[in-house]
Amino acid sequence: SVSPEPEVRVLSLDASHNSQYMGLNLITGEQISDLEQGDWHIAMRRYQDLALSGGLLGGQHQLTAQLVAPQTEFYYEDGEIKDWLFLDAKAEDFLSLVTNPYSLDERKFIGESVHYAIGNYAPSMGEANWGRYDMASGGHIYGNPERVWVINTGNPSANFYAIRVTADKITATRDTQFKPQISLEVYESRRERGRVIFDQQPKIISGQLDAPRGKLHFDLIKGTASLDETQDWHVRFHVFGSGRNVNFNLELNGGVSGTGNVSAQGPISPAELAVLDAGGMYAMGFASDRLSNAMTQNPWFEYLMAHGHRMLPNYRVYAVDLDGNPETTDDRFLLQFIDYYHPETGLSGHYSIRVRQLD
């Protein structure tokens, strides 16, 4: 006898809202707007934001996920996309990727964290980011003046700003009573002969927390720093955690860190900033603080600006475990995103997702 083909369903999700997530139940196909009370497994909003139930947005489950079909043929060795392949690809040609058998690697199922657009002071492997850790000085964190970020405030009529953290001592990691302090050099852009360039003389905005942990909010336009969360802000210095798990983050008022539309692009060097024409920086090149999981780390779409500003799928396949428990395997699904546009109206943010439940 011939074994029947595995059942593959196509679920729809209207995630066209710019700021509000819409949840999706992978079992019933129901769309869930109330993420606090609703029974959802993944949630999305507009572009590439995707949340897992049990992660930072809450939810009743503990989803983990992994990439199982990376679709490397869509990319050159240096990571550049083969745009012609994206343009020629048709969803029906990649259905077999969802019906194929896979040997899932238990070690690769991961949950959710946050990827900060500007980042932690010292990301993985000890590479200095906006700050640097100096063990020789007794465990102090200093600013890293070699890294600069361009900030888009989200206001179309506002200028771009560039920031870097000065080299002054920010905190002492071994002193639990030290009140962290931080200074930003802020460079404002201006238009000159059709170009958008940055002033060479920055203004300095400084502030200090009133306790070893807390939040300090920077308004780049007004040039102020405040402990008051109700004040307007664009960049926030946030210190939280305890023991060896203390975090020193620069967060943006956008994405998962705030309700604004602030985003960043970079880092670049001070020398690059001196000759930069920000007029060529488009919105899609900026990023805000976002959720990090197996699907956001390995995006299912690419943005082809030169071909009509289209979001096109690479037909990657992901495996999700609804309870994150390796002892139970009957609650695992394969997911493949096949369209970003409504099949009838063509409106963006209307996802079509192939779903197959594993035996």
Side-chain angles (χ1 to χ4, degrees):
S1 62
V2 179
S3 299
E5 286 292 320
E7 180 186 4
V8 178
R9 296 172 295 142
V10 177
L11 304 183
S12 300
L13 180 63
D14 179 359
S16 56
H17 200 283
N18 285 325
S19 59
Q20 295 179 5
Y21 283 88
M22 179 67 74
L24 178 66
N25 186 301
L26 298 177
I27 298 175
T28 66
E30 181 183 2
Q31 299 189 45
I32 310 293
S33 59
D34 185 355
L35 298 190
E36 291 187 9
Q37 302 297 325
D39 184 6
W40 57 278
H41 298 109
I42 65 171
M44 302 179 68
R45 64 175 179 181
R46 207 68 180 171
Y47 307 114
Q48 298 186 32
D49 287 340
L50 186 148
L52 303 182
S53 181
L56 295 175
L57 297 188
Q60 303 176 12
H61 306 278
Q62 296 294 325
L63 257 73
T64 55
Q66 67 171 280
L67 174 68
V68 295
Q71 292 297 86
T72 55
E73 64 268 28
F74 276 76
Y75 302 87
Y76 293 103
E77 290 186 1
D78 62 1
E80 289 296 315
I81 66 174
K82 299 177 180 179
D83 54 354
W84 54 269
L85 188 53
F86 279 85
L87 293 169
D88 292 342
K90 296 179 175 57
E92 56 265 28
D93 296 333
F94 299 91
L95 174 60
S96 62
L97 292 177
V98 187
T99 60
N100 285 345
Y102 292 97
S103 297
L104 302 181
D105 189 338
E106 299 292 350
R107 297 168 301 173
K108 293 184 178 179
F109 277 102
I110 62 172
E112 194 166 80
S113 59
V114 177
H115 176 82
Y116 294 99
I118 296 180
N120 198 288
Y121 77 94
S124 61
M125 304 304 292
E127 179 187 358
N129 203 357
W130 60 259
R132 57 184 178 84
Y133 177 73
D134 184 14
M135 184 179 297
S137 67
H140 295 156
I141 296 173
Y142 294 86
N144 180 7
E146 297 305 311
R147 297 288 183 95
V148 180
W149 281 263
V150 177
I151 305 297
N152 184 347
T153 64
N155 183 345
S157 62
N159 291 339
F160 288 127
Y161 292 82
I163 66 168
R164 67 174 176 173
V165 182
T166 69
D168 297 333
K169 182 174 73 174
I170 296 168
T171 191
T173 58
R174 300 175 188 175
D175 184 350
T176 58
Q177 300 305 311
F178 188 94
K179 298 176 182 178
Q181 56 195 10
I182 191 169
S183 296
L184 300 184
E185 290 184 356
V186 180
Y187 302 79
E188 187 172 0
S189 68
R190 69 180 189 279
R191 294 190 175 275
E192 185 175 285
R193 298 179 181 178
R195 302 173 64 233
V196 179
I197 61 177
F198 288 87
D199 293 331
Q200 297 303 301
Q201 293 298 319
K203 58 184 177 183
I204 307 297
I205 313 177
S206 301
Q208 185 171 20
L209 297 179
D210 58 359
R213 307 288 182 265
K215 301 175 182 178
L216 183 64
H217 307 80
F218 291 89
D219 187 319
L220 303 182
I221 298 176
K222 296 179 181 178
T224 59
S226 175
L227 298 172
D228 185 356
E229 294 191 46
T230 66
Q231 298 295 311
D232 291 337
W233 64 280
H234 302 101
V235 178
R236 177 170 66 193
F237 178 50
H238 186 189
V239 183
F240 61 97
S242 61
R244 295 181 177 272
N245 296 314
V246 179
N247 293 270
F248 304 89
N249 292 334
L250 282 182
E251 301 170 346
L252 298 177
N253 190 358
V256 297
S257 297
T259 59
N261 294 312
V262 181
S263 54
Q265 191 168 155
I268 60 176
S269 68
E272 290 172 314
L273 179 69
V275 297
L276 178 66
D277 179 3
M281 290 184 146
Y282 298 98
M284 289 298 295
F286 285 85
S288 194
D289 300 343
R290 65 183 187 273
L291 300 174
S292 178
N293 53 58
M295 287 180 268
T296 60
Q297 292 172 14
N298 305 280
W300 53 92
F301 286 96
E302 293 291 351
Y303 179 67
L304 275 66
M305 184 173 63
H307 298 278
H309 298 271
R310 300 281 294 175
M311 296 275 282
L312 297 177
N314 51 29
Y315 301 101
R316 284 173 171 159
V317 177
Y318 313 87
V320 298
D321 188 325
L322 300 193
D323 64 2
N325 183 357
E327 301 298 325
T328 58
T329 59
D330 60 349
D331 60 346
R332 291 177 172 176
F333 289 76
L334 295 181
L335 274 63
Q336 182 188 57
F337 297 81
I338 61 173
D339 209 342
Y340 175 70
Y341 301 94
H342 193 284
E344 297 177 359
T345 66
L347 293 176
S348 61
H350 290 259
Y351 289 87
S352 295
I353 310 168
R354 283 179 178 148
V355 176
R356 171 192 159 202
Q357 184 169 7
L358 299 178
D359 299 331

